[in-house]
Amino acid sequence: MAIRITDECINCGACEPECPNNAIYEGGVPWTLAGITYAPGEEAPSGAQDFFSNNCYYIVPDKCTECVGFHDEPQCAAVCPVDVCLPDPDHIESAKELLSKVDYLSMIDIERLRT
Ligand code: SF4
Ligand code: SF4
């Protein structure tokens, strides 16, 4: 959960389709994880609760792997025209932890397809 979008986001929407984990949402829009829809501002399963925004695009920490497992660098940061996709010093994860998250996200997707 190491990338966040700051309040300086200009809502261009360029980052959202680039995310391999569908971790980016437009401001005010409910987010989903493992087929469950979470209300705006609702706490994530990990306990993260300070990521939601009504005003600009936001990243769900439980779904962001910093693009580990897919790309060499965070794709949201690569395409953002105003450089507001930044590492979150409050949510640093090791490469091993990020790879575990990749496995977790792919596993729950498979489980969801089975149900
Ligand atoms: S760093 Fe990658 S996985 Fe995380 S929000 Fe950005 S595009 Fe998605
Ligand atoms: S690319 Fe940057 S400015 Fe555009 S919506 Fe994403 S975070 Fe906001």
Side-chain angles (χ1 to χ4, degrees):
M1 59 177 78
I3 302 295
R4 66 186 172 93
I5 294 173
T6 74
D7 292 343
E8 285 77 42
C9 168
I10 59 172
N11 289 309
C12 72
C15 55
E16 184 180 3
E18 302 300 325
C19 180
N21 294 319
N22 296 317
I24 303 174
Y25 292 84
E26 191 174 354
V29 173
W31 51 280
T32 65
L33 179 62
I36 298 171
T37 299
Y38 290 82
E42 191 170 352
E43 184 177 296
S46 68
Q49 55 184 331
D50 56 352
F51 56 89
F52 182 81
S53 174
N54 271 315
N55 304 316
C56 61
Y57 280 72
Y58 67 96
I59 294 172
V60 177
D62 287 37
K63 299 176 75 175
C64 175
T65 62
E66 296 181 48
C67 285
V68 166
F70 300 96
H71 302 288
D72 292 337
E73 61 178 348
Q75 294 300 287
C76 51
V79 302
C80 181
V82 287
D83 297 328
V84 297
C85 300
L86 301 173
D88 184 348
D90 292 332
H91 297 115
I92 301 296
E93 293 168 301
S94 69
K96 187 176 179 183
E97 288 170 325
L98 290 168
L99 281 170
S100 294
K101 190 190 281 187
V102 172
D103 289 343
Y104 165 72
L105 290 170
S106 62
M107 183 265 296
I108 58 176
D109 269 352
I110 290 170
E111 289 300 317
R112 185 161 64 89
L113 289 173
R114 285 180 179 153
T115 59

